């Protein structure tokens, strides 16, 4: 845990999608005493309403800075989130051993690489990402093995290698169920109505209620015994 010092807080880059998990992750980083630099990505995703959610979160939680970086992953598609030719699955039984069509190839590898560059410029040694390998859709870039390997690659590919230090890739939600994540957020007074998790939310941010992300989110609130503040389309 970082030392809480209002004058010399350690800096941390926090990946902020605008979804439930990244919002919780940002709250945890702030609670642990970091000066947070939020980083979001406009990758031409189908669920661009998440970016509007990220802006709302930043306005409410006031990190030190917020960057939205454009990375066009739609130019080659390959995912239901970056190609209109692939439908978002609905009302399916989620099997975390299968990689679904909503997986965006190497997305977290790309995002963490850019976050590492940003952190190096800032002089930050800490990066937070809200990956989870309990209640999730089976994405390979959410697993501990990937995070551990990336941390070593980040060390070897930056000045950290020659200066004998390493980046700390924080994954505080890695082993938590969705219900446990929500309970942790409630402890930190997180306002989950600010977030959007739906893979196909409309222009007003209303969730579909039937995609994998909505299914996990609804089940999480139910299991946590917390009222779901999500606005769903009728």
């Amino acid at each position: 845990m970082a030392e809480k010092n209002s004058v010399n807080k350690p800096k941390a880059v926090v990946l902020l999608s605008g979804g439930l998990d990244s919002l919780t992750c940002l709250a945890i980083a702030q609670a642990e005493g970091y000066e947070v630099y939020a980083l979001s990505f406009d990758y031409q995703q189908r669920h661009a309403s998440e970016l509007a959610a990220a802006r709302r979160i930043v306005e409410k939680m006031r990190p030190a800075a917020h960057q939205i970086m454009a990375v066009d992953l739609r130019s080659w598609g390959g995912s239901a989130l970056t190609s209109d030719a692939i439908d978002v699955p609905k009302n399916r039984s989620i099997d975390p051993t299968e990689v679904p069509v909503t997986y965006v190839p190497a997305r977290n590898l790309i995002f963490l690489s850019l976050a590492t560059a940003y952190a190096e410029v800032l002089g930050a040694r800490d990066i937070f990402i809200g990956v989870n390998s309990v209640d999730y859709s089976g994405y390979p870039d959410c697993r501990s093995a990937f995070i551990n390997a990336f941390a070593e690659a980040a060390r070897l590919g930056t000045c950290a290698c020659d200066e004998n230090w390493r980046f700390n890739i924080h994954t505080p939600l890695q082993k938590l169920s969705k219900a446990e994540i929500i309970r942790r957020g409630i402890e930190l007074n997180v306002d989950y109505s600010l977030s959007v998790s739906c893979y196909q939310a409309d222009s007003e941010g209303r969730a579909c209620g039937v995609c994998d992300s909505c299914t996990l989110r609804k089940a999480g609130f139910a299991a946590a015994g917390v009222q779901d503040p999500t606005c769903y389309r009728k």
Side-chain angles (χ1 to χ4, degrees):
M1 181 179 293
E3 181 181 354
K4 295 184 179 181
N5 186 314
S6 59
V7 178
N8 296 311
K9 290 183 178 181
K11 298 176 179 178
V13 173
V14 177
L15 293 178
L16 179 66
S17 69
L20 181 153
D21 292 342
S22 70
L23 168 54
T24 309
C25 209
L26 188 153
I28 290 172
Q30 288 184 327
E32 292 187 354
Y34 288 94
E35 182 177 76
V36 169
Y37 291 77
L39 179 59
S40 304
F41 292 96
D42 179 354
Y43 60 97
Q44 298 297 301
Q45 61 267 50
R46 184 192 295 260
H47 53 316
S49 57
E50 272 197 333
L51 291 174
R55 293 186 183 96
R56 290 195 299 271
I57 290 166
V58 166
E59 184 176 352
K60 175 71 176 291
M61 302 188 68
R62 305 184 68 81
H66 180 216
Q67 295 268 356
I68 298 179
M69 178 173 283
V71 182
D72 186 6
L73 300 185
R74 184 173 284 270
S75 61
W76 55 65
S79 165
L81 303 189
T82 55
S83 172
D84 293 331
I86 305 174
D87 292 332
V88 173
K90 302 175 183 178
N91 294 314
R92 78 180 187 101
S93 178
I94 299 172
D95 182 353
T97 65
E98 298 178 357
V99 179
V101 295
T102 49
Y103 163 66
V104 179
R107 179 176 59 180
N108 284 343
L109 176 60
I110 294 166
F111 290 176
L112 278 172
S113 296
L114 292 169
T116 300
Y118 186 30
E120 191 168 24
V121 170
L122 291 171
R125 298 189 180 185
D126 296 272
I127 299 169
F128 282 74
I129 182 171
V131 294
N132 177 270
S133 55
V134 179
D135 285 342
Y136 80 126
S137 297
Y139 298 162
D141 56 356
C142 287
R143 300 169 188 159
S144 296
F146 161 69
I147 297 297
N148 294 337
F150 179 84
E152 178 62 6
R155 182 185 73 83
L156 294 173
T158 63
C159 289
C161 183
D162 295 333
E163 296 172 0
N164 197 30
W165 55 274
R166 64 186 302 117
F167 289 98
N168 303 307
I169 312 297
H170 299 264
T171 58
L173 314 183
Q174 185 78 67
K175 303 297 183 183
L176 301 182
S177 68
K178 192 67 72 178
E180 289 171 330
I181 292 169
I182 291 167
R183 292 191 192 106
R184 179 69 177 119
I186 295 301
E187 290 173 358
L188 297 172
N189 297 313
V190 166
D191 180 359
Y192 283 116
S193 70
L194 298 171
S195 66
V196 172
S197 301
C198 179
Y199 288 149
Q200 49 188 2
D202 64 17
S203 60
E204 297 179 34
R206 294 176 299 183
C208 72
V210 294
C211 69
D212 288 0
S213 189
C214 282
T215 298
L216 291 168
R217 183 178 172 118
K218 288 194 294 184
F221 277 107
V226 174
Q227 183 175 359
D228 185 355
T230 308
C231 180
Y232 293 102
R233 296 197 297 274
K234 293 183 180 179

